[in-house]
Amino acid sequence: MRLLLFCMVIMVIVSGCSGNNESTDKVLLKGSWQGIIMMQGQELPFNFEVTGEDAIPTIILINGEERIILEDLVLEGDSLIIPMHVFDAEIKAYIEGEQMTGYWVKNYLNNYRLPFSAHHGHDFRFNPSNAKKEPEDFSGTWRVVFTGMSDTTEAKGIFSQNGNALTGTFLTTTGDYRYLAGSVVGGALYLSAFDGSHAFLFQATKNENGTLSGNFWSGKTWHQTWTGITDPDFELPDPDHLTYLKDGYDKIYFEFPDLDGNIVTPEVEQFKDKVLILQIMGTWCPNCMDETRFLSEWYKKNAHRGVEVLGLAYETRDDFDYARSRVLRMKEKWDVPYPFLIAGVYDKKAAAATLPMLNHVLSFPTTIFIDRKGKVSKIHTGFTGPGTGDYYELFVEEFEATVDKLLAED
């Protein structure tokens, strides 16, 4: 009798341990989701869509007009890991029916994780319950000042509003805040963006005199207050004159390894008698990724004209193998046709030390135009990306005019 009972218990245990895995697997529901990242006591909302097959789902991050495709998801039972495409970051979450809970993690930083949750079927970004039929108007061009975190910076805010829906961005001397999307809720402006590498949340209200006062939160610790005054004529400093060669220099020189470890200089045969575009960048930098996509498509169409593009990658770790792996992932994901060198780490002062002929490295990215004789013709600080609309189109026109001029020179 005891033997029979013992055998029955063993059968129950074995059955429980070796049951059909499908019974414990949870389906990642297709359709619209609202994600929320908790940071500094604030809820940062963003939108994404789940598509694809149950076993191989795809997530599409949505920021205004931008669509970022996240593939290579790992789905095991109720556990989900979402790699943030080319960035060394991921979301780790548990699926609980129409909800997910977990963390957004930056792998290259120590102890960097923020709580994440998501709700299926929510296609809104900010809760529309306080939306008004005749909302406050925040559209237009604004002269903005960000204050806090030991510095004060000017920016150009450009917002477009349709009812309560709001989109836009901020242009700065070092780049732009890419695609921001949000709403006018309860008389206040709310904008956010989540691209896998950065999490931005902006809030502001309009004062009686028509000026704006608000807050900007980013990630675990970054917080600034900001003010804005409507000014359609406001312009930022010329990005072509912020970074320059020190007196006594007319060329750039460096010795950095390529992805195979071979040392490359500007004097190699590949660049001889060519117009050379140097891209100071890093795979951790969303503005750099925007520029990389632009340069990739442009180079594919123009390489035959006698022009080369070379990326100088400044990565988050002083480790060649790690840096190489991040650059290779980017090249493969986006089919980037031009070469990259591993130049250093992403600290601006450290980057400037690798290129001592520059007055500084103010921004990632920075683009250096070199003529056929190896002399620096222009240095452009930052990148005005596609999220800026007409400003991006103007950048493209100026970029092509610069290259055309260099190619026409003897």
Side-chain angles (χ1 to χ4, degrees), residues 10 25 37 47 51 70 117 124 163 165 228 317 332 343 350 353 365 380 387 395:
I10 292 297
D25 287 349
I37 292 174
N47 303 108
T51 64
L70 306 181
S117 62
F124 55 85
R317 294 180 187 172
E332 292 168 359
H380 185 91
F395 164 81

Side-chain angles (χ1 to χ4, degrees), residues 5-15:
L5 288 173
F6 176 77
C7 292
M8 291 176 66
V9 170
I10 292 297
M11 289 177 64
V12 170
I13 292 174
V14 172
S15 176

Side-chain angles (χ1 to χ4, degrees), residues 69-73 82-90 259 283 289 315 321-336 340:
I69 298 176
L70 306 181
E71 300 174 306
D72 306 321
L73 277 62
I82 311 171
M84 296 290 105
H85 53 108
V86 301
F87 303 122
D88 190 11
E90 59 194 7
L259 301 186
T283 61
M289 297 301 93
E315 295 301 309
D321 290 337
Y322 172 82
R324 176 180 182 274
S325 70
R326 300 316 307 173
V327 174
L328 279 174
R329 179 174 174 83
M330 178 196 68
K331 282 178 65 69
E332 292 168 359
K333 277 282 186 182
W334 290 337
D335 188 30
V336 183
F340 288 85

